Amino acid sequence: MNTILDRDAPTEDIAAPVRVGFVLHALQVAGAEMLVAETIRRLGGAIAPTVFCLDSVGPLGDRLRAEGTEVVCLGRRPGRDWRVAWRLARALRQRGVEVVHAHQYTPFFYAALARPLVGGRIRVMFTEHGRHYPDVVSPLRRAANRLVLSHAAAAVNAVCEFSARALRENDGFSGHQVDVIENGIDVDRYATAGDRDALRRRLGLDPRRRYVACVARLHPVKDQATLLRAFAVIAATRADVDLLLAGDGPERGALQDLAAKEGIQGRARFLGVRRDVPDILKSVDIFALTSVSEAASLTLLEAMAAGLPVVVTDVGGNPEIVRDGREGILVPRGDTAATAAALGRLLDNPQEAARLGRQGRSRVRERYRLDDTIAAYGALYRSLANRAGSAVYKTGRVS
């Protein structure tokens, strides 16, 4: 992340916190939502935050409320609910919000509609995270973005080059607007365990076995079915390897049925949602992610920070993070044979696996640190609110 600094901003209200309103669908435990929570926690008194949820508060929202952050649910009805824009505008005006940070397109849509209803000076910024697959944008939406909505945004950014390119080429946002502020993680949480055997025993894992892990929602876009089929190939010739699937979702039943069909139900373990993901990653040997689409996967970054060699599909933002043969192995989406071959290569070549893991950890430490990500957002809030004092973000790493 290359941050360009601007020291020419106005000097009014230097010490005052920026009143920031975050707009999301709901505060589920997911990438964009966790970023918002960490931004609020780490920026501390530099911002006065309020979170506006279109649909529901969610478990992370309950947690933030317990920590003292105001979380407002706007109660959106299915489809386009035009009244949400009015409710959001009224809530923003009542709280004197200066900067609205919308995460994902639909929250930005309602924030853009609310902006002229607020009155006074308010700046809207839009962050794009993941993309739908297949990524089809209607001509009407593209025209609305180009002619109207893009002009409502004082800043537009994406978490990776892939998402930034999609905003320009698919959604119709002008290229000069779309900057990149890359995702980051708390790298130190994933430092290698001192006694991995003891950690494995605590997690109910056998220190004598080897483990491939995937941490992701059990959802069609994550395509764990390809990983299960590839693991069945591995399991047939390597009796000491198991597969761990951490996460839950609508595909769980179908994936468990597939594991039984492939004869690996005893060796493919479904762990459900876990709050000890750092410990799991410190305990396994390989991380695999066979998504059909990705932007900038936080669990991929976490696995690399834990020093794991990774096998990931060559889609979306994955090849920006993982350079094939340098930090991991890239495989085509939906390719069972290639995925099995990559897993087998790492299992059979521990020196190569260790080298890829070391290089992956170094890459995350150098480029994907959460403190850097949040510092860039914090500086951008101050710039949009015409604060000064410390250096202010002007433009991110432009794609």
Side-chain angles (χ1 to χ4, degrees), residues 4-198:
I4 302 171
L5 301 176
D6 177 13
R7 299 181 183 273
D8 297 325
T11 56
E12 59 196 56
D13 297 325
I14 291 175
V18 179
R19 294 183 296 277
V20 181
F22 298 92
V23 186
L24 307 98
H25 284 279
L27 280 167
Q28 305 298 331
V29 182
E33 294 77 7
M34 292 296 291
L35 174 61
V36 168
E38 286 301 316
T39 299
I40 291 170
R41 291 164 180 155
R42 292 178 183 237
L43 288 181
I47 63 171
T50 305
V51 182
F52 300 94
C53 298
L54 297 182
D55 303 318
S56 63
V57 171
L60 188 55
D62 292 333
R63 207 177 306 167
L64 282 176
R65 278 178 170 172
E67 295 172 7
T69 297
E70 184 181 19
V71 180
V72 177
C73 182
L74 297 171
R76 181 175 66 134
R77 297 178 303 176
R80 289 190 183 89
D81 186 351
W82 304 108
R83 293 183 298 179
V84 164
W86 288 98
R87 289 197 291 272
L88 176 58
R90 183 171 61 250
L92 293 170
R93 187 168 52 248
Q94 289 171 345
R95 291 160 180 80
V97 170
E98 299 167 274
V99 176
V100 178
H101 190 174
H103 289 265
Q104 302 287 28
Y105 182 81
T106 300
F108 168 63
F109 173 81
Y110 285 104
L113 293 181
R115 178 176 170 268
L117 303 175
V118 174
R121 183 184 178 281
I122 190 168
R123 310 298 295 279
V124 175
M125 58 179 287
F126 167 33
T127 295
E128 177 72 297
H129 292 265
R131 302 290 300 182
H132 291 293
Y133 180 82
D135 195 354
V136 178
V137 176
S138 72
L140 178 60
R141 170 170 155 174
R142 180 178 172 84
N145 290 338
R146 186 177 67 254
L147 300 174
V148 181
L149 294 182
S150 64
H151 299 288
V156 179
N157 75 278
V159 299
C160 61
E161 299 281 359
F162 163 74
S163 292
R165 187 167 58 251
L167 280 178
R168 293 195 309 271
E169 297 176 0
N170 293 16
D171 274 310
F173 286 84
S174 54
H176 72 277
Q177 278 188 286
V178 184
D179 298 336
V180 174
I181 299 179
E182 291 171 323
N183 271 346
I185 62 166
D186 185 351
V187 177
D188 293 336
R189 287 190 69 200
Y190 301 89
T192 306
D195 186 344
R196 196 169 77 150
D197 286 355

Side-chain angles (χ1 to χ4, degrees), residues 254-288:
L255 292 170
Q256 289 175 321
D257 290 344
L258 177 61
K261 178 181 176 182
E262 295 287 342
I264 55 172
Q265 65 268 40
R267 294 174 61 185
R269 296 173 54 178
F270 291 80
L271 306 181
V273 175
R274 301 291 291 250
R275 299 191 68 173
D276 56 354
V277 167
D279 287 342
I280 292 172
L281 293 175
K282 294 174 191 177
S283 301
V284 302
D285 300 278
I286 297 170
F287 178 82

Side-chain angles (χ1 to χ4, degrees), residues 242-253:
D242 289 335
L243 174 64
L244 306 178
L245 298 170
D248 209 345
E251 289 295 290
R252 180 164 184 159

